[in-house]
Amino acid sequence: MNSARALFVERGFHATSISDICGHAGLTRGAFYSNYRDKEQLFLALFDVEADRVLSDMAQAVAEVSPGADPVRHIIDRVGAHRRENHRWFLVSMEFTLHAARTPELAAELAPHEDRLTTGMADLLVRSLPNLTPDHARDVARLLTALHEGTTAQELIHGSTATAFRDRLLSDLIGTLAAGRTP
């Protein structure tokens, strides 16, 4: 799976073939197909691995916040520490998302994977910000995901100006939620 991730990140989802993946990983096509129906199913498995990593980073950041420290700043800094690596994954993830959006059957397959990430984020939000109800936390998780995706795209094009904007916006939004107000 690491070989496939490396190729997807380097070349893009569409430009990476199953033959490329097999060659890079030292697998036969038969071995590939014994584990995955197609390249899309492999990508969905990689999506879950990446989602688990993001949720783990976020959970660790929540656990590390010292009493009296600014939890919002700590979480943003901790998750942002992987910014360059995240940008590379973001590009291939967005490519796949657009591919899925154009293919209804694939969109239906991607949705539960995205929902799993949203649910994990919502659970962390409820633990971190006790003023949030689980339903509200799920909506906030979706909003944070949309905010992250949009501002990451802007950051890739506009650089540090967009980074500062995103960090301010996230800090303000989470600060508002922590105070018990709704955005």
Side-chain angles (χ1 to χ4, degrees), residues 22-33:
C22 291
H24 196 262
L27 298 172
T28 64
R29 287 179 75 80
F32 177 89
Y33 286 112

Side-chain angles (χ1 to χ4, degrees), residues 82-101:
H82 303 290
R83 189 164 271 136
R84 180 164 168 69
E85 178 185 327
N86 290 342
H87 283 174
R88 293 174 55 101
W89 175 256
F90 170 80
L91 290 171
V92 71
S93 179
M94 285 297 100
E95 179 186 359
F96 186 83
T97 298
L98 292 172
H99 173 57

Side-chain angles (χ1 to χ4, degrees), residues 58-77:
M58 290 176 73
Q60 189 170 355
V62 167
E64 290 173 353
V65 175
S66 305
D70 178 359
V72 175
R73 181 82 264 148
H74 181 73
I75 293 166
I76 290 170
D77 290 346

Side-chain angles (χ1 to χ4, degrees), residues 34-149:
S34 71
N35 290 292
Y36 304 102
R37 177 187 68 237
D38 51 29
K39 186 170 68 166
E40 285 84 356
Q41 188 180 40
L42 169 61
F43 188 87
L44 291 171
L46 287 168
F47 183 95
D48 288 342
V49 169
E50 185 66 16
D52 289 344
R53 185 194 64 75
V54 167
L55 290 171
S56 176
D57 279 355
M58 290 176 73
Q60 189 170 355
V62 167
E64 290 173 353
V65 175
S66 305
D70 178 359
V72 175
R73 181 82 264 148
H74 181 73
I75 293 166
I76 290 170
D77 290 346
R78 172 100 161 106
V79 173
H82 303 290
R83 189 164 271 136
R84 180 164 168 69
E85 178 185 327
N86 290 342
H87 283 174
R88 293 174 55 101
W89 175 256
F90 170 80
L91 290 171
V92 71
S93 179
M94 285 297 100
E95 179 186 359
F96 186 83
T97 298
L98 292 172
H99 173 57
R102 290 184 185 106
T103 313
E105 299 82 18
L106 185 55
E109 283 187 66
L110 177 58
H113 296 268
E114 288 187 349
D115 289 344
R116 183 174 161 269
L117 178 59
T118 300
T119 298
M121 288 175 60
D123 292 345
L124 285 168
L125 286 167
V126 167
R127 285 192 316 212
S128 305
L129 305 170
N131 295 323
L132 287 180
T133 65
D135 286 341
H136 191 200
R138 192 166 173 74
D139 291 343
V140 170
R142 284 190 179 112
L143 176 63
L144 289 171
T145 299
L147 177 68
H148 168 73
E149 289 174 352

